[in-house]
Every structure is written in structure tokens, then in C-alpha cells.
Amino acid sequence: MIFLSGWSGFREIYPEISKKCKYIVPFEDEGFLERYLNEIKQEEDLIVGWSLGANLIIRELDRLNAKRIILIAPFFNFTDYVNKRVIDLMIRSFERNREKCVIDFWSKIGIRTDLQTKVSHSLKDGLIFLKERNNFNEVYHKRNILVIAPTNDRILPLNAFIEVYKRIFGSIIKIYSNHYIEESILERIIFDNI
């Protein structure tokens, strides 16, 4: 199993899940796209993606070998729901003080802000990536796809998740949660699908 986390979705926010699988934080390292997307393409069992991680999975959906996929708070194009100026402001905030930018983001999406982690400068590339357009081709997928839709999300509207669900021919679970879903809830959903 591979868990492809969201922007600044460090292991500290999902400590138990990160112990039980290959846990990847997008753009945590330089050259992320070249190295880690090849790993995702080789996974044959279960791939879980949260937010930016879910978007990366969607972009590669036709090239994946995994039998089962779970997409948590997924979206096709982030800027269909969040103004590019907001992302630009976040990039400037990140350039001024990386740690404060991450803590402010965590606070907004419902993550405890007392967690300590090292914030890499390469995370800025993830913010830039969020402004790129995804030209998703609708196709029938011969795998089990589950969309988890947080209904109280403070970043993306519910219809972003519904749009993904409708176009990938999967199933959906709506959860009363902010963008970040508590680990105990997420663990039950993920490990019930193994």
C-alpha cells in the first residue's frame, strides 16, 4: 500500500498510517515527480491519495496498476475552486516563513498546530503545481475506486469531490470533516478496504 499525502501532509499528522505503508509527501524532496510517481505506477494493490496526492493519482489514473484506489478530498483542477491569487499569497507567505505558512494552513484545515516537523523549501513547488491545469480524460477503470468527500471542508467545496466521483465511475463516502480527516476515522476506512 502507498499513501500519497497532501501538501505539507507530513508523517506527523498521520503517525499510525505512516508506519503501516509507504508514505509519500508530495514535493517534500527535490525531484519528487520523477522519483515517486514511478513507485506509484508500480503499486499493484492499494493506493491512497489525499488532496494534492489524490490529484496526482487522478493525473496518472490510466497508467496505474493498483487494483484499489482511495481518493480523499480529491479535485481535478485546484484553481477551479481556489483563486490563483490565494495560491500566490500563500507562496509569498511560504517564502517569508515556511514554518508559519504550514502552521497557518494546518490550522485552517483542522490539523493540530503543535506538531513539530522540518519544512523543506521544495514544498513551494507543490504550491506552484496546484496552479497547473489537469486535462483529465474520462475513461472506464477496471478497479475499485472510492472517493472520500469531507462535507465541512474549508479549502474545497463538496462539489469538487462530487465531480471527481461522477467522472471516475467509483463509489463515494461523505464524511462530516474539514479537509483533514482524523487518523482514527481514516484508518478504519483504509484498512477496511485492504
Side-chain angles (χ1 to χ4, degrees), residues 130-147:
L130 286 172
K131 295 192 312 183
E132 293 180 9
R133 300 291 300 168
N134 178 27
N135 295 317
F136 177 78
N137 295 321
E138 188 174 314
V139 295
Y140 178 75
H141 304 285
K142 294 179 181 177
R143 61 180 66 91
N144 180 5
I145 299 177
L146 173 64
V147 172

Side-chain angles (χ1 to χ4, degrees), residues 10-185:
F10 302 110
R11 288 157 189 80
E12 292 84 355
I13 67 170
Y14 288 126
E16 295 305 314
I17 291 172
S18 65
K19 289 177 193 171
K20 298 173 182 172
C21 64
K22 172 80 174 169
Y23 191 93
I24 301 171
V25 181
F27 300 98
E28 183 177 32
D29 302 319
E30 297 286 342
F32 159 76
L33 289 175
E34 295 77 30
R35 285 197 313 272
Y36 292 114
L37 289 183
N38 284 330
E39 284 187 56
I40 293 164
K41 290 174 188 172
Q42 293 175 19
E43 174 64 36
E44 293 182 0
D45 187 31
L46 174 63
I47 300 175
V48 180
W50 170 48
S51 190
L52 176 56
N55 180 261
L56 289 164
I57 290 169
I58 290 168
R59 289 173 185 246
E60 300 295 324
L61 201 53
D62 293 335
R63 289 176 244 167
L64 299 178
N65 293 313
K67 293 180 194 105
R68 295 168 294 158
I69 296 172
I70 299 175
L71 303 172
I72 306 156
F75 55 89
F76 288 115
N77 292 296
F78 195 71
T79 55
D80 287 349
Y81 305 99
V82 177
N83 192 304
K84 285 184 182 183
R85 291 185 303 230
V86 172
I87 302 170
D88 290 335
L89 288 171
M90 200 166 169
I91 289 169
R92 285 199 290 280
S93 171
F94 188 83
E95 290 170 340
R96 282 192 303 274
N97 185 331
R98 294 186 292 226
E99 287 75 16
K100 183 179 181 329
C101 179
V102 167
I103 287 170
D104 290 348
F105 177 71
W106 282 3
S107 176
K108 183 169 183 155
I109 67 170
I111 298 173
R112 290 187 6 241
T113 58
D114 62 339
L115 300 172
Q116 297 294 314
T117 192
K118 183 179 174 180
V119 179
S120 166
H121 67 87
S122 62
L123 281 182
K124 178 181 168 185
D125 295 337
L127 294 172
I128 294 166
F129 185 84
L130 286 172
K131 295 192 312 183
E132 293 180 9
R133 300 291 300 168
N134 178 27
N135 295 317
F136 177 78
N137 295 321
E138 188 174 314
V139 295
Y140 178 75
H141 304 285
K142 294 179 181 177
R143 61 180 66 91
N144 180 5
I145 299 177
L146 173 64
V147 172
I148 300 174
T151 61
N152 198 30
D153 197 307
R154 292 184 59 205
I155 300 293
L156 294 167
L158 182 60
N159 64 337
F161 318 134
I162 302 285
E163 179 186 353
V164 170
Y165 157 68
K166 286 180 178 177
R167 291 178 62 194
I168 63 167
F169 310 102
S171 55
I172 190 167
I173 296 175
K174 294 179 185 175
I175 295 178
Y176 183 76
S177 174
N178 196 341
H179 196 69
Y180 169 78
I181 298 172
E182 289 182 31
E183 185 173 45
S184 60
I185 295 167

